[in-house]
mmCIF file with all atom_site columns, all heavy atoms in Angstrom:
data_model
loop_
_atom_site.group_PDB
_atom_site.id
_atom_site.type_symbol
_atom_site.label_atom_id
_atom_site.label_alt_id
_atom_site.label_comp_id
_atom_site.label_asym_id
_atom_site.label_entity_id
_atom_site.label_seq_id
_atom_site.pdbx_PDB_ins_code
_atom_site.Cartn_x
_atom_site.Cartn_y
_atom_site.Cartn_z
_atom_site.occupancy
_atom_site.B_iso_or_equiv
_atom_site.pdbx_formal_charge
_atom_site.auth_seq_id
_atom_site.auth_comp_id
_atom_site.auth_asym_id
_atom_site.auth_atom_id
_atom_site.pdbx_PDB_model_num
ATOM 1   N N   . PRO A 1 1  ? 88.646  109.302 87.262  1.00 0.00 ? 1029 PRO A N   1
ATOM 2   C CA  . PRO A 1 1  ? 89.916  109.311 87.994  1.00 0.00 ? 1029 PRO A CA  1
ATOM 3   C C   . PRO A 1 1  ? 90.193  108.001 88.733  1.00 0.00 ? 1029 PRO A C   1
ATOM 4   O O   . PRO A 1 1  ? 89.316  107.453 89.394  1.00 0.00 ? 1029 PRO A O   1
ATOM 5   C CB  . PRO A 1 1  ? 89.744  110.469 88.983  1.00 0.00 ? 1029 PRO A CB  1
ATOM 6   C CG  . PRO A 1 1  ? 88.771  111.379 88.313  1.00 0.00 ? 1029 PRO A CG  1
ATOM 7   C CD  . PRO A 1 1  ? 87.811  110.471 87.589  1.00 0.00 ? 1029 PRO A CD  1
ATOM 8   N N   . GLY A 1 2  ? 91.419  107.525 88.588  1.00 0.00 ? 1030 GLY A N   1
ATOM 9   C CA  . GLY A 1 2  ? 91.863  106.329 89.301  1.00 0.00 ? 1030 GLY A CA  1
ATOM 10  C C   . GLY A 1 2  ? 91.491  105.019 88.648  1.00 0.00 ? 1030 GLY A C   1
ATOM 11  O O   . GLY A 1 2  ? 91.947  103.962 89.092  1.00 0.00 ? 1030 GLY A O   1
ATOM 12  N N   . TRP A 1 3  ? 90.677  105.053 87.570  1.00 0.00 ? 1031 TRP A N   1
ATOM 13  C CA  . TRP A 1 3  ? 90.188  103.796 86.983  1.00 0.00 ? 1031 TRP A CA  1
ATOM 14  C C   . TRP A 1 3  ? 91.317  102.995 86.348  1.00 0.00 ? 1031 TRP A C   1
ATOM 15  O O   . TRP A 1 3  ? 92.201  103.516 85.688  1.00 0.00 ? 1031 TRP A O   1
ATOM 16  C CB  . TRP A 1 3  ? 89.128  104.075 85.915  1.00 0.00 ? 1031 TRP A CB  1
ATOM 17  C CG  . TRP A 1 3  ? 88.563  102.809 85.316  1.00 0.00 ? 1031 TRP A CG  1
ATOM 18  C CD1 . TRP A 1 3  ? 87.534  102.062 85.798  1.00 0.00 ? 1031 TRP A CD1 1
ATOM 19  C CD2 . TRP A 1 3  ? 89.042  102.132 84.143  1.00 0.00 ? 1031 TRP A CD2 1
ATOM 20  N NE1 . TRP A 1 3  ? 87.326  100.954 84.995  1.00 0.00 ? 1031 TRP A NE1 1
ATOM 21  C CE2 . TRP A 1 3  ? 88.235  100.977 83.971  1.00 0.00 ? 1031 TRP A CE2 1
ATOM 22  C CE3 . TRP A 1 3  ? 90.067  102.385 83.228  1.00 0.00 ? 1031 TRP A CE3 1
ATOM 23  C CZ2 . TRP A 1 3  ? 88.426  100.088 82.917  1.00 0.00 ? 1031 TRP A CZ2 1
ATOM 24  C CZ3 . TRP A 1 3  ? 90.256  101.507 82.174  1.00 0.00 ? 1031 TRP A CZ3 1
ATOM 25  C CH2 . TRP A 1 3  ? 89.440  100.367 82.024  1.00 0.00 ? 1031 TRP A CH2 1
ATOM 26  N N   . THR A 1 4  ? 91.254  101.687 86.566  1.00 0.00 ? 1032 THR A N   1
ATOM 27  C CA  . THR A 1 4  ? 92.139  100.741 85.905  1.00 0.00 ? 1032 THR A CA  1
ATOM 28  C C   . THR A 1 4  ? 91.428  99.398  85.872  1.00 0.00 ? 1032 THR A C   1
ATOM 29  O O   . THR A 1 4  ? 90.455  99.183  86.605  1.00 0.00 ? 1032 THR A O   1
ATOM 30  C CB  . THR A 1 4  ? 93.485  100.601 86.640  1.00 0.00 ? 1032 THR A CB  1
ATOM 31  O OG1 . THR A 1 4  ? 94.334  99.689  85.924  1.00 0.00 ? 1032 THR A OG1 1
ATOM 32  C CG2 . THR A 1 4  ? 93.303  100.073 88.050  1.00 0.00 ? 1032 THR A CG2 1
ATOM 33  N N   . ASP A 1 5  ? 91.891  98.513  85.015  1.00 0.00 ? 1033 ASP A N   1
ATOM 34  C CA  . ASP A 1 5  ? 91.302  97.169  84.977  1.00 0.00 ? 1033 ASP A CA  1
ATOM 35  C C   . ASP A 1 5  ? 92.317  96.107  85.362  1.00 0.00 ? 1033 ASP A C   1
ATOM 36  O O   . ASP A 1 5  ? 92.123  94.929  85.111  1.00 0.00 ? 1033 ASP A O   1
ATOM 37  C CB  . ASP A 1 5  ? 90.721  96.866  83.590  1.00 0.00 ? 1033 ASP A CB  1
ATOM 38  C CG  . ASP A 1 5  ? 91.784  96.844  82.500  1.00 0.00 ? 1033 ASP A CG  1
ATOM 39  O OD1 . ASP A 1 5  ? 92.965  97.146  82.795  1.00 0.00 ? 1033 ASP A OD1 1
ATOM 40  O OD2 . ASP A 1 5  ? 91.449  96.522  81.342  1.00 0.00 ? 1033 ASP A OD2 1
ATOM 41  N N   . ASN A 1 6  ? 93.447  96.543  85.978  1.00 0.00 ? 1034 ASN A N   1
ATOM 42  C CA  . ASN A 1 6  ? 94.469  95.588  86.393  1.00 0.00 ? 1034 ASN A CA  1
ATOM 43  C C   . ASN A 1 6  ? 95.195  96.127  87.614  1.00 0.00 ? 1034 ASN A C   1
ATOM 44  O O   . ASN A 1 6  ? 94.962  97.263  88.031  1.00 0.00 ? 1034 ASN A O   1
ATOM 45  C CB  . ASN A 1 6  ? 95.464  95.329  85.252  1.00 0.00 ? 1034 ASN A CB  1
ATOM 46  C CG  . ASN A 1 6  ? 96.209  96.591  84.845  1.00 0.00 ? 1034 ASN A CG  1
ATOM 47  O OD1 . ASN A 1 6  ? 97.083  97.063  85.561  1.00 0.00 ? 1034 ASN A OD1 1
ATOM 48  N ND2 . ASN A 1 6  ? 95.848  97.160  83.691  1.00 0.00 ? 1034 ASN A ND2 1
ATOM 49  N N   . ILE A 1 7  ? 96.056  95.312  88.197  1.00 0.00 ? 1035 ILE A N   1
ATOM 50  C CA  . ILE A 1 7  ? 96.808  95.731  89.388  1.00 0.00 ? 1035 ILE A CA  1
ATOM 51  C C   . ILE A 1 7  ? 98.299  95.738  89.102  1.00 0.00 ? 1035 ILE A C   1
ATOM 52  O O   . ILE A 1 7  ? 99.130  95.459  89.968  1.00 0.00 ? 1035 ILE A O   1
ATOM 53  C CB  . ILE A 1 7  ? 96.492  94.837  90.607  1.00 0.00 ? 1035 ILE A CB  1
ATOM 54  C CG1 . ILE A 1 7  ? 96.762  93.360  90.296  1.00 0.00 ? 1035 ILE A CG1 1
ATOM 55  C CG2 . ILE A 1 7  ? 95.065  95.035  91.057  1.00 0.00 ? 1035 ILE A CG2 1
ATOM 56  C CD1 . ILE A 1 7  ? 96.670  92.465  91.514  1.00 0.00 ? 1035 ILE A CD1 1
ATOM 57  N N   . ASN A 1 8  ? 98.672  96.082  87.867  1.00 0.00 ? 1036 ASN A N   1
ATOM 58  C CA  . ASN A 1 8  ? 100.083 96.198  87.526  1.00 0.00 ? 1036 ASN A CA  1
ATOM 59  C C   . ASN A 1 8  ? 100.642 97.506  88.078  1.00 0.00 ? 1036 ASN A C   1
ATOM 60  O O   . ASN A 1 8  ? 99.911  98.440  88.387  1.00 0.00 ? 1036 ASN A O   1
ATOM 61  C CB  . ASN A 1 8  ? 100.268 96.154  86.008  1.00 0.00 ? 1036 ASN A CB  1
ATOM 62  C CG  . ASN A 1 8  ? 99.816  94.838  85.410  1.00 0.00 ? 1036 ASN A CG  1
ATOM 63  O OD1 . ASN A 1 8  ? 99.927  93.793  86.047  1.00 0.00 ? 1036 ASN A OD1 1
ATOM 64  N ND2 . ASN A 1 8  ? 99.281  94.885  84.203  1.00 0.00 ? 1036 ASN A ND2 1
ATOM 65  N N   . GLY A 1 9  ? 101.969 97.588  88.166  1.00 0.00 ? 1037 GLY A N   1
ATOM 66  C CA  . GLY A 1 9  ? 102.615 98.821  88.579  1.00 0.00 ? 1037 GLY A CA  1
ATOM 67  C C   . GLY A 1 9  ? 102.381 99.172  90.038  1.00 0.00 ? 1037 GLY A C   1
ATOM 68  O O   . GLY A 1 9  ? 102.144 98.312  90.887  1.00 0.00 ? 1037 GLY A O   1
ATOM 69  N N   . PRO A 1 10 ? 102.398 100.473 90.348  1.00 0.00 ? 1038 PRO A N   1
ATOM 70  C CA  . PRO A 1 10 ? 102.295 100.897 91.750  1.00 0.00 ? 1038 PRO A CA  1
ATOM 71  C C   . PRO A 1 10 ? 100.951 100.557 92.388  1.00 0.00 ? 1038 PRO A C   1
ATOM 72  O O   . PRO A 1 10 ? 100.864 100.424 93.599  1.00 0.00 ? 1038 PRO A O   1
ATOM 73  C CB  . PRO A 1 10 ? 102.502 102.416 91.678  1.00 0.00 ? 1038 PRO A CB  1
ATOM 74  C CG  . PRO A 1 10 ? 102.159 102.786 90.279  1.00 0.00 ? 1038 PRO A CG  1
ATOM 75  C CD  . PRO A 1 10 ? 102.562 101.618 89.438  1.00 0.00 ? 1038 PRO A CD  1
ATOM 76  N N   . THR A 1 11 ? 99.886  100.411 91.563  1.00 0.00 ? 1039 THR A N   1
ATOM 77  C CA  . THR A 1 11 ? 98.588  100.053 92.133  1.00 0.00 ? 1039 THR A CA  1
ATOM 78  C C   . THR A 1 11 ? 98.671  98.711  92.855  1.00 0.00 ? 1039 THR A C   1
ATOM 79  O O   . THR A 1 11 ? 98.148  98.546  93.962  1.00 0.00 ? 1039 THR A O   1
ATOM 80  C CB  . THR A 1 11 ? 97.510  99.986  91.032  1.00 0.00 ? 1039 THR A CB  1
ATOM 81  O OG1 . THR A 1 11 ? 97.444  101.248 90.364  1.00 0.00 ? 1039 THR A OG1 1
ATOM 82  C CG2 . THR A 1 11 ? 96.147  99.657  91.631  1.00 0.00 ? 1039 THR A CG2 1
ATOM 83  N N   . GLY A 1 12 ? 99.335  97.738  92.227  1.00 0.00 ? 1040 GLY A N   1
ATOM 84  C CA  . GLY A 1 12 ? 99.498  96.430  92.857  1.00 0.00 ? 1040 GLY A CA  1
ATOM 85  C C   . GLY A 1 12 ? 100.307 96.509  94.133  1.00 0.00 ? 1040 GLY A C   1
ATOM 86  O O   . GLY A 1 12 ? 99.988  95.836  95.126  1.00 0.00 ? 1040 GLY A O   1
ATOM 87  N N   . LEU A 1 13 ? 101.355 97.346  94.117  1.00 0.00 ? 1041 LEU A N   1
ATOM 88  C CA  . LEU A 1 13 ? 102.166 97.520  95.325  1.00 0.00 ? 1041 LEU A CA  1
ATOM 89  C C   . LEU A 1 13 ? 101.335 98.121  96.452  1.00 0.00 ? 1041 LEU A C   1
ATOM 90  O O   . LEU A 1 13 ? 101.413 97.690  97.606  1.00 0.00 ? 1041 LEU A O   1
ATOM 91  C CB  . LEU A 1 13 ? 103.371 98.421  95.031  1.00 0.00 ? 1041 LEU A CB  1
ATOM 92  C CG  . LEU A 1 13 ? 104.448 97.861  94.103  1.00 0.00 ? 1041 LEU A CG  1
ATOM 93  C CD1 . LEU A 1 13 ? 105.521 98.913  93.876  1.00 0.00 ? 1041 LEU A CD1 1
ATOM 94  C CD2 . LEU A 1 13 ? 105.060 96.596  94.692  1.00 0.00 ? 1041 LEU A CD2 1
ATOM 95  N N   . LEU A 1 14 ? 100.535 99.138  96.118  1.00 0.00 ? 1042 LEU A N   1
ATOM 96  C CA  . LEU A 1 14 ? 99.718  99.790  97.133  1.00 0.00 ? 1042 LEU A CA  1
ATOM 97  C C   . LEU A 1 14 ? 98.660  98.843  97.692  1.00 0.00 ? 1042 LEU A C   1
ATOM 98  O O   . LEU A 1 14 ? 98.383  98.843  98.899  1.00 0.00 ? 1042 LEU A O   1
ATOM 99  C CB  . LEU A 1 14 ? 99.048  101.037 96.549  1.00 0.00 ? 1042 LEU A CB  1
ATOM 100 C CG  . LEU A 1 14 ? 99.996  102.185 96.166  1.00 0.00 ? 1042 LEU A CG  1
ATOM 101 C CD1 . LEU A 1 14 ? 99.236  103.301 95.471  1.00 0.00 ? 1042 LEU A CD1 1
ATOM 102 C CD2 . LEU A 1 14 ? 100.731 102.714 97.381  1.00 0.00 ? 1042 LEU A CD2 1
ATOM 103 N N   . ILE A 1 15 ? 98.065  98.022  96.827  1.00 0.00 ? 1043 ILE A N   1
ATOM 104 C CA  . ILE A 1 15 ? 97.067  97.066  97.310  1.00 0.00 ? 1043 ILE A CA  1
ATOM 105 C C   . ILE A 1 15 ? 97.725  96.009  98.195  1.00 0.00 ? 1043 ILE A C   1
ATOM 106 O O   . ILE A 1 15 ? 97.230  95.683  99.278  1.00 0.00 ? 1043 ILE A O   1
ATOM 107 C CB  . ILE A 1 15 ? 96.335  96.397  96.123  1.00 0.00 ? 1043 ILE A CB  1
ATOM 108 C CG1 . ILE A 1 15 ? 95.429  97.415  95.429  1.00 0.00 ? 1043 ILE A CG1 1
ATOM 109 C CG2 . ILE A 1 15 ? 95.516  95.195  96.593  1.00 0.00 ? 1043 ILE A CG2 1
ATOM 110 C CD1 . ILE A 1 15 ? 94.737  96.884  94.193  1.00 0.00 ? 1043 ILE A CD1 1
ATOM 111 N N   . GLY A 1 16 ? 98.864  95.473  97.737  1.00 0.00 ? 1044 GLY A N   1
ATOM 112 C CA  . GLY A 1 16 ? 99.566  94.466  98.525  1.00 0.00 ? 1044 GLY A CA  1
ATOM 113 C C   . GLY A 1 16 ? 100.004 94.994  99.870  1.00 0.00 ? 1044 GLY A C   1
ATOM 114 O O   . GLY A 1 16 ? 99.849  94.330  100.900 1.00 0.00 ? 1044 GLY A O   1
ATOM 115 N N   . ALA A 1 17 ? 100.532 96.233  99.881  1.00 0.00 ? 1045 ALA A N   1
ATOM 116 C CA  . ALA A 1 17 ? 100.947 96.838  101.150 1.00 0.00 ? 1045 ALA A CA  1
ATOM 117 C C   . ALA A 1 17 ? 99.730  97.170  102.003 1.00 0.00 ? 1045 ALA A C   1
ATOM 118 O O   . ALA A 1 17 ? 99.740  96.994  103.228 1.00 0.00 ? 1045 ALA A O   1
ATOM 119 C CB  . ALA A 1 17 ? 101.767 98.095  100.880 1.00 0.00 ? 1045 ALA A CB  1
ATOM 120 N N   . GLY A 1 18 ? 98.649  97.643  101.351 1.00 0.00 ? 1046 GLY A N   1
ATOM 121 C CA  . GLY A 1 18 ? 97.439  98.005  102.087 1.00 0.00 ? 1046 GLY A CA  1
ATOM 122 C C   . GLY A 1 18 ? 96.764  96.816  102.731 1.00 0.00 ? 1046 GLY A C   1
ATOM 123 O O   . GLY A 1 18 ? 96.120  96.954  103.771 1.00 0.00 ? 1046 GLY A O   1
ATOM 124 N N   . LYS A 1 19 ? 96.909  95.641  102.118 1.00 0.00 ? 1047 LYS A N   1
ATOM 125 C CA  . LYS A 1 19 ? 96.351  94.416  102.702 1.00 0.00 ? 1047 LYS A CA  1
ATOM 126 C C   . LYS A 1 19 ? 97.279  93.821  103.758 1.00 0.00 ? 1047 LYS A C   1
ATOM 127 O O   . LYS A 1 19 ? 96.921  92.865  104.443 1.00 0.00 ? 1047 LYS A O   1
ATOM 128 C CB  . LYS A 1 19 ? 96.115  93.376  101.605 1.00 0.00 ? 1047 LYS A CB  1
ATOM 129 C CG  . LYS A 1 19 ? 95.012  93.720  100.621 1.00 0.00 ? 1047 LYS A CG  1
ATOM 130 C CD  . LYS A 1 19 ? 93.633  93.494  101.210 1.00 0.00 ? 1047 LYS A CD  1
ATOM 131 C CE  . LYS A 1 19 ? 92.546  93.632  100.164 1.00 0.00 ? 1047 LYS A CE  1
ATOM 132 N NZ  . LYS A 1 19 ? 91.189  93.399  100.708 1.00 0.00 ? 1047 LYS A NZ  1
ATOM 133 N N   . GLY A 1 20 ? 98.501  94.380  103.870 1.00 0.00 ? 1048 GLY A N   1
ATOM 134 C CA  . GLY A 1 20 ? 99.445  93.903  104.878 1.00 0.00 ? 1048 GLY A CA  1
ATOM 135 C C   . GLY A 1 20 ? 100.244 92.689  104.462 1.00 0.00 ? 1048 GLY A C   1
ATOM 136 O O   . GLY A 1 20 ? 100.898 92.069  105.313 1.00 0.00 ? 1048 GLY A O   1
ATOM 137 N N   . VAL A 1 21 ? 100.221 92.325  103.152 1.00 0.00 ? 1049 VAL A N   1
ATOM 138 C CA  . VAL A 1 21 ? 100.928 91.122  102.718 1.00 0.00 ? 1049 VAL A CA  1
ATOM 139 C C   . VAL A 1 21 ? 102.283 91.438  102.098 1.00 0.00 ? 1049 VAL A C   1
ATOM 140 O O   . VAL A 1 21 ? 103.104 90.541  101.902 1.00 0.00 ? 1049 VAL A O   1
ATOM 141 C CB  . VAL A 1 21 ? 100.076 90.296  101.724 1.00 0.00 ? 1049 VAL A CB  1
ATOM 142 C CG1 . VAL A 1 21 ? 98.830  89.777  102.404 1.00 0.00 ? 1049 VAL A CG1 1
ATOM 143 C CG2 . VAL A 1 21 ? 99.724  91.108  100.485 1.00 0.00 ? 1049 VAL A CG2 1
ATOM 144 N N   . ILE A 1 22 ? 102.553 92.699  101.767 1.00 0.00 ? 1050 ILE A N   1
ATOM 145 C CA  . ILE A 1 22 ? 103.877 93.108  101.298 1.00 0.00 ? 1050 ILE A CA  1
ATOM 146 C C   . ILE A 1 22 ? 104.519 93.947  102.395 1.00 0.00 ? 1050 ILE A C   1
ATOM 147 O O   . ILE A 1 22 ? 104.025 95.021  102.735 1.00 0.00 ? 1050 ILE A O   1
ATOM 148 C CB  . ILE A 1 22 ? 103.793 93.915  99.984  1.00 0.00 ? 1050 ILE A CB  1
ATOM 149 C CG1 . ILE A 1 22 ? 103.244 93.050  98.845  1.00 0.00 ? 1050 ILE A CG1 1
ATOM 150 C CG2 . ILE A 1 22 ? 105.170 94.464  99.611  1.00 0.00 ? 1050 ILE A CG2 1
ATOM 151 C CD1 . ILE A 1 22 ? 103.126 93.786  97.524  1.00 0.00 ? 1050 ILE A CD1 1
ATOM 152 N N   . ARG A 1 23 ? 105.639 93.458  102.926 1.00 0.00 ? 1051 ARG A N   1
ATOM 153 C CA  . ARG A 1 23 ? 106.275 94.136  104.052 1.00 0.00 ? 1051 ARG A CA  1
ATOM 154 C C   . ARG A 1 23 ? 107.758 94.388  103.812 1.00 0.00 ? 1051 ARG A C   1
ATOM 155 O O   . ARG A 1 23 ? 108.443 94.915  104.688 1.00 0.00 ? 1051 ARG A O   1
ATOM 156 C CB  . ARG A 1 23 ? 106.078 93.323  105.340 1.00 0.00 ? 1051 ARG A CB  1
ATOM 157 C CG  . ARG A 1 23 ? 104.627 92.896  105.572 1.00 0.00 ? 1051 ARG A CG  1
ATOM 158 C CD  . ARG A 1 23 ? 104.390 92.432  106.979 1.00 0.00 ? 1051 ARG A CD  1
ATOM 159 N NE  . ARG A 1 23 ? 104.503 93.514  107.946 1.00 0.00 ? 1051 ARG A NE  1
ATOM 160 C CZ  . ARG A 1 23 ? 103.548 94.407  108.180 1.00 0.00 ? 1051 ARG A CZ  1
ATOM 161 N NH1 . ARG A 1 23 ? 102.412 94.363  107.512 1.00 0.00 ? 1051 ARG A NH1 1
ATOM 162 N NH2 . ARG A 1 23 ? 103.724 95.354  109.082 1.00 0.00 ? 1051 ARG A NH2 1
ATOM 163 N N   . THR A 1 24 ? 108.251 93.986  102.676 1.00 0.00 ? 1052 THR A N   1
ATOM 164 C CA  . THR A 1 24 ? 109.649 94.256  102.352 1.00 0.00 ? 1052 THR A CA  1
ATOM 165 C C   . THR A 1 24 ? 109.812 94.311  100.845 1.00 0.00 ? 1052 THR A C   1
ATOM 166 O O   . THR A 1 24 ? 109.133 93.589  100.114 1.00 0.00 ? 1052 THR A O   1
ATOM 167 C CB  . THR A 1 24 ? 110.583 93.178  102.938 1.00 0.00 ? 1052 THR A CB  1
ATOM 168 O OG1 . THR A 1 24 ? 111.944 93.462  102.544 1.00 0.00 ? 1052 THR A OG1 1
ATOM 169 C CG2 . THR A 1 24 ? 110.215 91.794  102.432 1.00 0.00 ? 1052 THR A CG2 1
ATOM 170 N N   . MET A 1 25 ? 110.679 95.199  100.373 1.00 0.00 ? 1053 MET A N   1
ATOM 171 C CA  . MET A 1 25 ? 111.007 95.293  98.950  1.00 0.00 ? 1053 MET A CA  1
ATOM 172 C C   . MET A 1 25 ? 112.496 95.568  98.817  1.00 0.00 ? 1053 MET A C   1
ATOM 173 O O   . MET A 1 25 ? 113.071 96.309  99.617  1.00 0.00 ? 1053 MET A O   1
ATOM 174 C CB  . MET A 1 25 ? 110.211 96.411  98.267  1.00 0.00 ? 1053 MET A CB  1
ATOM 175 C CG  . MET A 1 25 ? 108.719 96.159  98.166  1.00 0.00 ? 1053 MET A CG  1
ATOM 176 S SD  . MET A 1 25 ? 107.901 97.323  97.042  1.00 0.00 ? 1053 MET A SD  1
ATOM 177 C CE  . MET A 1 25 ? 108.292 98.884  97.827  1.00 0.00 ? 1053 MET A CE  1
ATOM 178 N N   . TYR A 1 26 ? 113.085 94.952  97.799  1.00 0.00 ? 1054 TYR A N   1
ATOM 179 C CA  . TYR A 1 26 ? 114.507 95.170  97.545  1.00 0.00 ? 1054 TYR A CA  1
ATOM 180 C C   . TYR A 1 26 ? 114.650 96.232  96.469  1.00 0.00 ? 1054 TYR A C   1
ATOM 181 O O   . TYR A 1 26 ? 114.406 95.976  95.288  1.00 0.00 ? 1054 TYR A O   1
ATOM 182 C CB  . TYR A 1 26 ? 115.171 93.868  97.103  1.00 0.00 ? 1054 TYR A CB  1
ATOM 183 C CG  . TYR A 1 26 ? 116.583 94.042  96.575  1.00 0.00 ? 1054 TYR A CG  1
ATOM 184 C CD1 . TYR A 1 26 ? 117.553 94.672  97.343  1.00 0.00 ? 1054 TYR A CD1 1
ATOM 185 C CD2 . TYR A 1 26 ? 116.926 93.582  95.311  1.00 0.00 ? 1054 TYR A CD2 1
ATOM 186 C CE1 . TYR A 1 26 ? 118.839 94.835  96.870  1.00 0.00 ? 1054 TYR A CE1 1
ATOM 187 C CE2 . TYR A 1 26 ? 118.207 93.730  94.829  1.00 0.00 ? 1054 TYR A CE2 1
ATOM 188 C CZ  . TYR A 1 26 ? 119.171 94.367  95.601  1.00 0.00 ? 1054 TYR A CZ  1
ATOM 189 O OH  . TYR A 1 26 ? 120.434 94.539  95.122  1.00 0.00 ? 1054 TYR A OH  1
ATOM 190 N N   . CYS A 1 27 ? 114.968 97.448  96.880  1.00 0.00 ? 1055 CYS A N   1
ATOM 191 C CA  . CYS A 1 27 ? 115.179 98.513  95.901  1.00 0.00 ? 1055 CYS A CA  1
ATOM 192 C C   . CYS A 1 27 ? 115.827 99.715  96.581  1.00 0.00 ? 1055 CYS A C   1
ATOM 193 O O   . CYS A 1 27 ? 115.857 99.818  97.812  1.00 0.00 ? 1055 CYS A O   1
ATOM 194 C CB  . CYS A 1 27 ? 113.866 98.935  95.245  1.00 0.00 ? 1055 CYS A CB  1
ATOM 195 S SG  . CYS A 1 27 ? 112.713 99.771  96.338  1.00 0.00 ? 1055 CYS A SG  1
ATOM 196 N N   . ASP A 1 28 ? 116.330 100.608 95.748  1.00 0.00 ? 1056 ASP A N   1
ATOM 197 C CA  . ASP A 1 28 ? 116.903 101.857 96.228  1.00 0.00 ? 1056 ASP A CA  1
ATOM 198 C C   . ASP A 1 28 ? 115.762 102.805 96.547  1.00 0.00 ? 1056 ASP A C   1
ATOM 199 O O   . ASP A 1 28 ? 115.029 103.227 95.652  1.00 0.00 ? 1056 ASP A O   1
ATOM 200 C CB  . ASP A 1 28 ? 117.809 102.441 95.136  1.00 0.00 ? 1056 ASP A CB  1
ATOM 201 C CG  . ASP A 1 28 ? 118.374 103.802 95.513  1.00 0.00 ? 1056 ASP A CG  1
ATOM 202 O OD1 . ASP A 1 28 ? 118.223 104.216 96.680  1.00 0.00 ? 1056 ASP A OD1 1
ATOM 203 O OD2 . ASP A 1 28 ? 118.953 104.467 94.622  1.00 0.00 ? 1056 ASP A OD2 1
ATOM 204 N N   . ASN A 1 29 ? 115.596 103.134 97.825  1.00 0.00 ? 1057 ASN A N   1
ATOM 205 C CA  . ASN A 1 29 ? 114.433 103.947 98.193  1.00 0.00 ? 1057 ASN A CA  1
ATOM 206 C C   . ASN A 1 29 ? 114.478 105.354 97.611  1.00 0.00 ? 1057 ASN A C   1
ATOM 207 O O   . ASN A 1 29 ? 113.461 106.033 97.538  1.00 0.00 ? 1057 ASN A O   1
ATOM 208 C CB  . ASN A 1 29 ? 114.274 104.011 99.723  1.00 0.00 ? 1057 ASN A CB  1
ATOM 209 C CG  . ASN A 1 29 ? 115.473 104.645 100.400 1.00 0.00 ? 1057 ASN A CG  1
ATOM 210 O OD1 . ASN A 1 29 ? 116.523 104.833 99.804  1.00 0.00 ? 1057 ASN A OD1 1
ATOM 211 N ND2 . ASN A 1 29 ? 115.318 104.965 101.667 1.00 0.00 ? 1057 ASN A ND2 1
ATOM 212 N N   . ASN A 1 30 ? 115.654 105.810 97.171  1.00 0.00 ? 1058 ASN A N   1
ATOM 213 C CA  . ASN A 1 30 ? 115.756 107.124 96.526  1.00 0.00 ? 1058 ASN A CA  1
ATOM 214 C C   . ASN A 1 30 ? 115.641 107.035 95.009  1.00 0.00 ? 1058 ASN A C   1
ATOM 215 O O   . ASN A 1 30 ? 115.653 108.048 94.312  1.00 0.00 ? 1058 ASN A O   1
ATOM 216 C CB  . ASN A 1 30 ? 117.084 107.796 96.892  1.00 0.00 ? 1058 ASN A CB  1
ATOM 217 C CG  . ASN A 1 30 ? 117.130 108.181 98.364  1.00 0.00 ? 1058 ASN A CG  1
ATOM 218 O OD1 . ASN A 1 30 ? 116.156 108.713 98.897  1.00 0.00 ? 1058 ASN A OD1 1
ATOM 219 N ND2 . ASN A 1 30 ? 118.242 107.914 99.029  1.00 0.00 ? 1058 ASN A ND2 1
#
């Protein structure tokens, strides 16, 4: 479970946000 070999998609977003380096995104939140 959870295994991946890359940080594409939502995994990259979660890592970037979790490290505190992503603080804004331009998108429709709904």
Side-chain angles (χ1 to χ4, degrees):
W1031 182 86
T1032 182
D1033 63 356
N1034 62 73
I1035 56 171
N1036 297 328
T1039 302
L1041 292 177
L1042 293 174
I1043 290 176
K1047 292 283 189 179
V1049 295
I1050 296 180
R1051 311 195 68 79
T1052 178
M1053 292 193 300
Y1054 169 55
C1055 68
D1056 176 10
N1057 61 347
N1058 292 316

